Amino acid sequence: MHLTLPDPLHLSLAVSGEKLFVTYLLQADVEREALEKAKDICLEQTVEFPDDLVPPGSLRDTIIGKIVDFGKKDDTTWFAQISFAFETFGNDLLQMLNVIFGNISIKPGIKVIDIALPESFAGRIRGPRFGVEGIRKLVGVEHRPLICTALKPMGLSAEQLAEQAYRFARGGIDLIKDDHGLADQPFAPFTKRVRLCSEAVRRANEETGRNCLYLPNITCSADRIRERAHFAKECGVGGLLISTLLTGFDSMRMLADSDELQLPIMAHPAFSGAFVTSKANGISHGLFYGLFMRLFGADMSVYPNFGGRFSFSVDECRGIAEFCRRPLGALKAIFPTPGGGMTTDKASIMLDVYGRDFVLLIGGGLHRHSPDIEANARYFVQMLENL
Amino acid sequence: MHLTLPDPLHLSLAVSGEKLFVTYLLQADVEREALEKAKDICLEQTVEFPDDLVPPGSLRDTIIGKIVDFGKKDDTTWFAQISFAFETFGNDLLQMLNVIFGNISIKPGIKVIDIALPESFAGRIRGPRFGVEGIRKLVGVEHRPLICTALKPMGLSAEQLAEQAYRFARGGIDLIKDDHGLADQPFAPFTKRVRLCSEAVRRANEETGRNCLYLPNITCSADRIRERAHFAKECGVGGLLISTLLTGFDSMRMLADSDELQLPIMAHPAFSGAFVTSKANGISHGLFYGLFMRLFGADMSVYPNFGGRFSFSVDECRGIAEFCRRPLGALKAIFPTPGGGMTTDKASIMLDVYGRDFVLLIGGGLHRHSPDIEANARYFVQMLENL
């Protein structure tokens, strides 16, 4: 039985023939089950209609996803590459996420591991405004990984955080971000914190002749985020820190795209872990922290480094770096920004895994090394210079 | 060794004594490991600093989370209730999500299952504007579950979708939403679709004397979502459909709070599945689809019903309904809105599980029952009347 419609179904879609290709891993006991899952994705992500209700003709031919590749990976895992017509999402990046992993995010045993975008679509996305090259130019460091630290802990006053920022900048740190938990708490209110920390870093820059960037955390409600970004810009900040899964992907994209702001964006992974923690469900580390963050305008994507207090593997981290750089239209390459317990030994392993184009995010270690955080900063910058 | 600061650490926080209580399930092989995880949450979600770097005194006493309850659940699962000072998030709902499950979302084996809010905080959240009572008043149905359907499939023209809406409204459907995949595609552009479907439902309402609500999908980029909502309002829509995880939680809250819009909000779960699919990680179904959606202003929260083409259990669905209704300050109770393959048998089980206050979301079944979708709508409304 087919769909009953007021008029005979005559769709005359101007279909470009351009497709989005998405690769899924499918958990199943037998091949037939995996193939059913793949077919289900084709329907669920487009017409959201049982197969027997979809009429023949152009709707079936154009709108429903198509399996273009399918095979076995291991005993319980298959892969399927599915193509979706460009017209299912148009120029809408959020709707593209919806086509890739909307309803099927709720079905168990489906993991998205790769996508290939229509050339025409990739060409219309601005993506990161600065990228690796732009950020390197801003901080004036071309030859080594960059180093970033966070103002912390939550609970300090704006004055205390600003003094910390001053010392880190004096010590040669390239990028100083707010700890992502600093919001607008009474002990260090947003406007006061951003004003004092910007001033502190500017003062240090005047003294050192360098250009350390301060990135305040502007994560906040949807109706105030633009205002906070503009306030930060007026204070002379060097960029913005955004917890992308808290604000929503597109709030980050909106700020990255703003010609009035023109500020580097650092994406923070808070609240995002559920997307990647399962082997069977969700989205691969590379696609999520690499390509998705990049498509939505991040110049730097923060995530926990392998071997730290979180549990990302070396391969997962390598995957992130690959997706940060993979050639894609005119989209700029961005900085993987791994954080977590840092030692000299570890830094050289990181150089093997990431190459020179990464931002080393260092927190506790910079406080622990000695009581003098300015000296500690110098020590770690020197460590990177010597790699 | 303790944190080195420019001045001796004299925090003088005006701490209210009010706390947020969060309950976590922790996967571990032995109790010591579970307790370490609980202690780690206390630090990671606040100071984000190793324990030995946090100085004694008021920062330690007030900012760091505190374990208030801890115990064993089964062989590999423990629970911990942790309290966080109100001051760690202030009046900021997103920052509250960050304190609840920011960085630790990335650590394996941690699942959030419950929260208790400070009274004063709950009192400052508007939450859902209409809730169960308000929506029932709008549609004029007090005695039975409401029935909602979706305009589909993607690929139909705006005219075809409007004709479908007209017939459903004529047949007595209470709420008609866009399929969540309808965005601004060339075959049914947003403005044309919303204008035609609003008109169609208004015409049907004039004929039936009822007040069927049409809810267009306004999920889109951060800089256009307000504009779309206002356009929809001008067209006379009955509410808004939002894919909350695509737009971000707070975009939904912003629209729910808008005194100019004053429209019911239906939250769609697209892209959210990763939060709930794992037993060991993420957020419980009830907390996520029930309370979180409600705190951020949804009047109706869509999710897949038990026994349908997704895999939620009866208990998980019951959990959602409980969190939709749990008394919490002045926060209105909202409609659990389960969707998925519907039969008469199933409807009476749903009545047992949910009580009368739910919205039955029905899609394919309404098209499949017979070729006359208006008659099909009557049939299903009657089925609900007879429960």
Side-chain angles (χ1 to χ4, degrees):
Chain A
M1 205 202 87
H2 288 132
L3 173 68
T4 307
L5 282 170
D7 302 306
L9 193 64
H10 291 304
L11 293 175
S12 56
L13 297 179
V15 174
S16 62
E18 285 182 313
K19 305 274 190 181
L20 164 72
F21 294 88
V22 187
T23 308
Y24 300 95
L25 288 186
L26 309 169
Q27 300 299 312
D29 291 326
V30 292
E31 179 167 296
R32 189 173 40 78
E33 190 194 335
L35 194 57
E36 281 309 309
K37 277 196 179 182
K39 287 181 186 166
D40 177 61
I41 293 173
C42 295
L43 293 165
E44 189 72 53
Q45 295 303 92
T46 55
V47 291
E48 225 187 304
F49 232 35
D51 194 44
D52 65 319
L53 287 182
V54 181
S58 62
L59 192 144
R60 176 177 285 279
D61 296 342
T62 56
I63 299 296
I64 296 174
K66 284 183 183 40
I67 303 171
V68 293
D69 198 5
F70 178 83
K72 193 164 183 170
K73 192 169 170 282
D74 62 40
D75 277 358
T76 56
T77 316
W78 277 258
F79 70 88
Q81 191 182 40
I82 296 178
S83 71
F84 297 101
F86 181 74
E87 284 71 13
T88 59
F89 57 93
N91 288 326
D92 187 331
L93 266 177
L94 279 185
Q95 172 61 8
M96 189 182 80
L97 289 189
N98 190 30
V99 168
I100 293 170
F101 201 55
N103 268 7
I104 56 161
S105 73
I106 311 171
K107 295 192 172 184
I110 300 175
K111 184 151 187 159
V112 196
I113 58 166
D114 202 356
I115 65 170
L117 287 168
E119 276 293 318
S120 63
F121 186 58
R124 274 194 293 275
I125 302 169
R126 184 204 288 265
R129 184 182 283 269
F130 295 88
V132 168
E133 216 175 306
I135 300 286
R136 283 201 177 280
K137 207 164 285 174
L138 281 178
V139 297
V141 175
E142 296 291 341
H143 59 292
R144 59 160 171 82
L146 302 184
I147 184 165
C148 175
T149 193
L151 303 176
K152 58 167 75 176
M154 180 194 282
L156 297 192
S157 69
E159 287 83 357
Q160 289 171 315
L161 295 168
E163 181 62 21
Q164 211 176 79
Y166 174 73
R167 293 186 173 211
F168 285 141
R170 288 266 309 172
I173 297 293
D174 302 305
L175 303 133
I176 299 171
K177 70 176 188 69
D178 281 348
D179 212 11
H180 83 287
L182 299 179
D184 190 27
Q185 291 101 340
F187 35 85
F190 176 79
T191 51
K192 188 174 184 189
R193 180 177 83 245
V194 175
R195 198 164 38 73
L196 294 185
C197 292
S198 306
E199 277 171 19
V201 172
R202 189 185 314 121
R203 185 159 53 93
N205 283 341
E206 283 166 10
E207 291 163 13
T208 61
R210 299 192 66 243
N211 191 31
C212 170
L213 305 180
Y214 165 56
L215 297 91
N217 175 32
I218 58 154
T219 307
C220 70
S221 61
D223 33 18
R224 284 178 307 166
I225 193 165
R226 265 197 267 221
E227 187 189 307
R228 286 214 182 158
H230 282 277
F231 176 83
K233 172 82 178 177
E234 282 162 31
C235 290
V237 302
L240 303 170
L241 178 76
I242 298 172
S243 292
T244 317
L245 264 285
L246 288 172
T247 64
F249 273 102
D250 205 71
S251 292
M252 179 169 79
R253 196 272 319 148
M254 175 180 75
L255 298 176
D257 270 5
S258 165
D259 288 333
E260 287 157 41
L261 289 173
Q262 302 208 28
L263 285 171
I265 305 282
M266 183 180 277
H268 192 280
F271 205 65
S272 72
F275 282 95
V276 300
T277 38
S278 161
K279 298 268 178 234
N281 301 301
I283 300 173
S284 74
H285 293 71
L287 193 57
F288 194 83
Y289 295 113
L291 192 53
F292 284 180
M293 293 301 172
R294 187 176 163 207
L295 284 171
F296 283 88
D299 298 290
M300 295 161 274
S301 177
V302 175
Y303 59 90
N305 196 28
F306 54 88
R309 64 190 200 272
F310 295 82
S311 62
F312 286 17
S313 72
V314 172
D315 280 347
E316 287 160 352
C317 290
R318 195 177 275 123
I320 296 171
E322 280 170 13
F323 276 99
C324 282
R325 292 160 190 166
R326 176 197 280 189
L328 184 62
L331 215 67
K332 294 187 171 77
I334 67 170
F335 274 113
T337 304
M342 188 45 49
T343 60
T344 314
D345 285 355
K346 198 141 172 207
S348 50
I349 303 175
M350 290 173 81
L351 203 67
D352 285 345
V353 171
Y354 297 121
R356 294 205 168 257
D357 285 336
F358 71 95
V359 175
L360 173 65
L361 180 58
I362 181 169
L366 206 48
H367 294 272
R368 190 190 294 279
H369 188 70
S370 87
D372 181 345
I373 59 172
E374 188 175 323
N376 296 352
R378 277 200 194 92
Y379 169 85
F380 281 99
V381 172
Q382 198 52 53
M383 185 185 82
L384 284 180
E385 289 283 354
N386 296 340
L387 276 182
Chain B
M1 207 200 89
H2 287 128
L3 172 68
T4 307
L5 282 169
D7 302 306
L9 193 66
H10 290 306
L11 292 175
S12 57
L13 297 179
V15 174
S16 63
E18 285 182 311
K19 304 275 189 181
L20 165 71
F21 294 88
V22 186
T23 309
Y24 300 95
L25 287 186
L26 308 169
Q27 302 298 311
D29 291 326
V30 293
E31 179 167 297
R32 190 174 37 80
E33 189 194 336
L35 195 57
E36 281 310 309
K37 277 195 178 184
K39 287 181 186 165
D40 176 61
I41 293 173
C42 296
L43 293 166
E44 188 71 53
Q45 296 303 93
T46 55
V47 290
E48 224 187 305
F49 232 36
D51 194 46
D52 66 320
L53 287 183
V54 182
S58 61
L59 191 146
R60 176 176 286 279
D61 296 342
T62 56
I63 298 294
I64 296 175
K66 285 185 181 43
I67 302 171
V68 293
D69 199 3
F70 177 84
K72 192 165 185 171
K73 193 169 170 282
D74 62 41
D75 276 358
T76 57
T77 316
W78 277 258
F79 70 89
Q81 192 181 41
I82 296 177
S83 72
F84 297 101
F86 181 76
E87 283 72 13
T88 59
F89 56 95
N91 288 326
D92 188 331
L93 266 177
L94 280 186
Q95 171 61 8
M96 190 182 78
L97 289 189
N98 189 30
V99 169
I100 293 170
F101 201 54
N103 268 7
I104 56 159
S105 73
I106 311 172
K107 296 193 172 185
I110 300 174
K111 184 152 186 157
V112 195
I113 58 166
D114 203 356
I115 64 170
L117 287 167
E119 276 294 315
S120 63
F121 186 57
R124 274 193 293 273
I125 302 170
R126 185 204 287 265
R129 185 182 282 269
F130 295 87
V132 169
E133 217 174 303
I135 300 286
R136 283 201 177 283
K137 209 164 281 173
L138 282 178
V139 298
V141 175
E142 296 290 342
H143 60 293
R144 59 159 171 84
L146 303 184
I147 184 166
C148 175
T149 193
L151 302 177
K152 59 168 72 173
M154 180 196 283
L156 297 191
S157 68
E159 288 84 356
Q160 289 172 315
L161 294 168
E163 181 63 20
Q164 209 178 77
Y166 173 72
R167 293 187 173 209
F168 285 141
R170 289 266 309 173
I173 298 292
D174 301 307
L175 303 134
I176 299 171
K177 72 175 185 69
D178 281 346
D179 211 11
H180 83 287
L182 299 179
D184 191 27
Q185 292 101 339
F187 36 84
F190 176 79
T191 51
K192 187 172 185 192
R193 180 177 84 245
V194 175
R195 198 164 37 73
L196 294 185
C197 292
S198 306
E199 276 170 21
V201 171
R202 189 186 312 122
R203 185 158 54 91
N205 283 342
E206 282 166 12
E207 291 163 13
T208 62
R210 299 191 67 240
N211 190 32
C212 171
L213 305 180
Y214 165 56
L215 297 91
N217 176 32
I218 58 154
T219 307
C220 70
S221 61
D223 31 19
R224 287 178 307 168
I225 193 165
R226 265 196 267 220
E227 186 189 306
R228 287 215 181 157
H230 283 276
F231 176 83
K233 173 80 178 179
E234 282 163 30
C235 290
V237 302
L240 303 171
L241 179 75
I242 298 171
S243 291
T244 317
L245 265 285
L246 288 173
T247 64
F249 273 102
D250 204 72
S251 292
M252 178 168 82
R253 196 274 319 148
M254 174 180 75
L255 298 175
D257 269 6
S258 164
D259 288 332
E260 288 156 39
L261 289 172
Q262 303 210 24
L263 286 171
I265 305 282
M266 183 180 277
H268 192 280
F271 205 67
S272 72
F275 282 96
V276 301
T277 39
S278 160
K279 299 270 176 229
N281 301 302
I283 300 173
S284 74
H285 292 71
L287 193 56
F288 194 83
Y289 295 114
L291 191 53
F292 282 0
M293 294 299 173
R294 188 176 164 208
L295 285 171
F296 282 88
D299 299 290
M300 295 161 274
S301 177
V302 175
Y303 60 90
N305 196 28
F306 55 88
R309 65 189 198 274
F310 295 82
S311 62
F312 286 18
S313 71
V314 172
D315 279 347
E316 287 161 351
C317 290
R318 194 177 275 123
I320 296 171
E322 281 171 13
F323 275 98
C324 282
R325 292 161 190 162
R326 175 198 279 190
L328 182 63
L331 216 65
K332 294 188 171 76
I334 67 169
F335 274 114
T337 303
M342 188 43 51
T343 60
T344 314
D345 284 357
K346 198 143 172 206
S348 50
I349 303 174
M350 289 172 80
L351 204 67
D352 285 346
V353 171
Y354 297 122
R356 295 204 167 257
D357 286 337
F358 70 96
V359 175
L360 174 64
L361 179 57
I362 182 169
L366 206 48
H367 293 271
R368 192 189 293 280
H369 188 69
S370 89
D372 181 345
I373 59 170
E374 186 174 327
N376 296 353
R378 278 201 193 90
Y379 170 86
F380 281 97
V381 172
Q382 197 54 51
M383 187 186 81
L384 284 181
E385 288 284 354
N386 294 341
L387 277 180

